[in-house]
Amino acid sequence: MTNAQMWALIVGFASPILIAVINRPEWSQAARTLVQVMVSVLVGLGSALFAGDFAGKDVVSSILVAAVAAISAYKGVFKPAGIAPKVEKATSPAARG
C-alpha cells in the first residue's frame, strides 16, 4: 500500500461525517450518492497530492480506496451508531427552520 492509499484510507474512513454535514435528509438517494462520490474523489486526489504520488494509477487507486473506506465506515460504524444521521439532521437547514 502506498502512502497516498494509506492517507486515502484514513481520511476516507472519517469522511462520512463530512458527507453527513453536506447531505440533507430531503435529498434523493442519487443526490446523496453523488455527494459521497465527489467527496471520495476529492479525498483521493488530495491524498495522492499530499503524499507526492500524483500520477495516473496512484490517483485512481487512492480515489477507490477512499470510496471503499467511506462506504465501509458509513455502513459499519457511523450509520448503525446513529452518528451520521444525527449529524445530517442537526446540520440541515430544514431541520432547524
Side-chain angles (χ1 to χ4, degrees), residues 4-97:
Q5 292 167 341
M6 187 60 73
W7 279 110
L9 180 66
I10 293 167
V11 178
F13 186 86
S15 70
I17 296 298
L18 172 62
I19 294 166
V21 169
I22 297 168
N23 276 341
R24 300 291 174 247
E26 66 273 7
W27 288 358
S28 69
Q29 188 60 46
R32 299 160 67 78
T33 300
L34 181 63
V35 170
Q36 187 274 318
V37 169
M38 293 182 70
V39 168
S40 293
V41 167
L42 291 174
V43 167
L45 289 172
S47 298
L49 185 63
F50 177 76
D53 293 333
F54 204 71
K57 235 195 291 188
D58 293 324
V59 171
V60 172
S61 63
S62 293
I63 291 169
L64 292 174
V65 167
V68 169
I71 293 167
S72 299
Y74 177 76
K75 292 195 181 275
V77 177
F78 293 103
K79 186 177 180 184
I83 297 167
K86 286 178 186 171
V87 169
E88 189 174 303
K89 189 173 181 182
T91 59
S92 177
R96 287 181 271 149

